[in-house]
Amino acid sequence: MGTQPLPETCRIPATVWLWAGHALYRGPSLRLDRHSGAVLCLAIGLDSTFTVEADAFGARSVRSVLVPPRTPHRIIAETPMLFCYIDPGSPRAAACRGRMTEVSGGFGFGHDHEAALIRLGSEIGEDGGQQHLGGGPGTVFDLAGGAGRSAMDPRIAAATAILCADPAAPITADQLAAAVHLSKSRLLHLFAEHAGTTFRRYRVWARMLAVGRAVAEGADLTTAATHAGFASPSHFSDTFHAMFGLTATDLLAAGARIIIEEDAGRAESAG
């Protein structure tokens, strides 16, 4: 038999990659309590199996599981983990569901490309580089739920650029529609189709990106959250916890490095 693996905290440092519409975490399991998140989460054990607990099936030992939004669960792991957070409105969310080999109680088990995802997740460098399989963190989402669109409607590209340029601005859907020469109804329809999520949720993601970028540059969470447009630090904390199942403070306390992907406003990132 081979040697025992090193404890997870000694192996892979915690890193978070953020786009508008999805996020990727790789590192220690963080040992979260029972919780539910607002987004879809594909969890993958990089070194070995882990246990997922939920009311629908009790406890199961798995290597990969797709956790549906707003569903209480707990993941118990001693292995480093890869967590792929996908906005439930994204086309990639439906595609990822379709790539699970079994569904029970709303959870998906056994991703079709589980082995490749494990290899890819293990080989991503701390800077997002990836030497052996020809891809970086974005390639994880291509493998998990299919590649995004090759092109975005230029009016929606302009709309997302406006939101990302000043996420704190209190711009309404009516105002944004006027800025890109669309009716409100047409904007909202095209937004969901091309950005992979709704106008309202895209703005939340844009604000999350702004906080992540500011913290990566050395700002404290309180200042970053306020400048990004959250009503208060507690509003940001509640939004972050609802989305990911833990607080940003806990994530940073675990030593997580935050990397903002510059193509966040592109359709292939959100879709």
Side-chain angles (χ1 to χ4, degrees), residues 13-40:
T15 307
V16 177
W17 292 269
L18 291 173
W19 296 258
H22 55 268
L24 180 68
Y25 169 86
R26 188 195 60 182
S29 66
L30 299 176
R31 295 177 170 83
L32 301 179
D33 292 331
R34 179 180 166 92
H35 69 281
S36 62
V39 297
L40 205 70

Side-chain angles (χ1 to χ4, degrees), residues 40-78:
L40 205 70
C41 178
L42 176 64
I44 301 167
L46 293 180
D47 280 357
S48 62
T49 60
F50 59 93
T51 299
V52 57
E53 298 178 345
D55 294 340
F57 50 79
R60 286 186 60 165
S61 178
V62 298
R63 197 67 187 266
S64 62
V65 62
L66 185 63
V67 180
R70 298 178 179 84
T71 305
H73 67 283
R74 184 186 180 200
I75 288 177
I76 304 168
E78 296 301 325

Side-chain angles (χ1 to χ4, degrees), residues 26 116 118-125 127-137 139:
R26 188 195 60 182
I118 290 168
R119 289 196 302 271
L120 182 58
S122 298
E123 293 176 358
I124 299 171
D127 61 352
Q130 202 276 346
Q131 297 180 342
H132 302 293
L133 296 182
T139 309

Side-chain angles (χ1 to χ4, degrees), residues 29-201:
S29 66
L30 299 176
R31 295 177 170 83
L32 301 179
D33 292 331
R34 179 180 166 92
H35 69 281
S36 62
V39 297
L40 205 70
C41 178
L42 176 64
I44 301 167
L46 293 180
D47 280 357
S48 62
T49 60
F50 59 93
T51 299
V52 57
E53 298 178 345
D55 294 340
F57 50 79
R60 286 186 60 165
S61 178
V62 298
R63 197 67 187 266
S64 62
V65 62
L66 185 63
V67 180
R70 298 178 179 84
T71 305
H73 67 283
R74 184 186 180 200
I75 288 177
I76 304 168
E78 296 301 325
T79 174
M81 296 293 296
L82 191 69
F83 292 122
C84 306
Y85 298 98
I86 309 172
D87 194 278
S90 167
R92 276 189 173 148
C96 188
R97 291 187 192 98
R99 294 186 180 186
M100 306 308 292
T101 59
E102 177 191 350
V103 176
S104 176
F107 288 72
F109 299 93
H111 194 282
D112 281 343
H113 302 300
E114 182 179 278
L117 284 164
I118 290 168
R119 289 196 302 271
L120 182 58
S122 298
E123 293 176 358
I124 299 171
E126 290 183 55
D127 61 352
Q130 202 276 346
Q131 297 180 342
H132 302 293
L133 296 182
T139 309
V140 172
F141 288 97
D142 293 343
L143 198 57
R149 293 182 181 85
S150 59
M152 177 186 278
D153 184 293
R155 296 163 296 183
I156 301 306
T160 59
I162 290 170
L163 292 175
C164 288
D166 188 5
I171 187 169
T172 65
D174 287 307
Q175 292 168 331
L176 187 61
V180 297
H181 310 293
L182 288 169
S183 67
K184 177 182 176 181
S185 61
R186 187 61 177 161
L187 171 77
L188 296 179
H189 173 77
L190 288 175
F191 212 102
E193 180 181 349
H194 287 267
T197 187
T198 65
F199 159 73
R200 184 186 299 272
R201 285 193 60 79

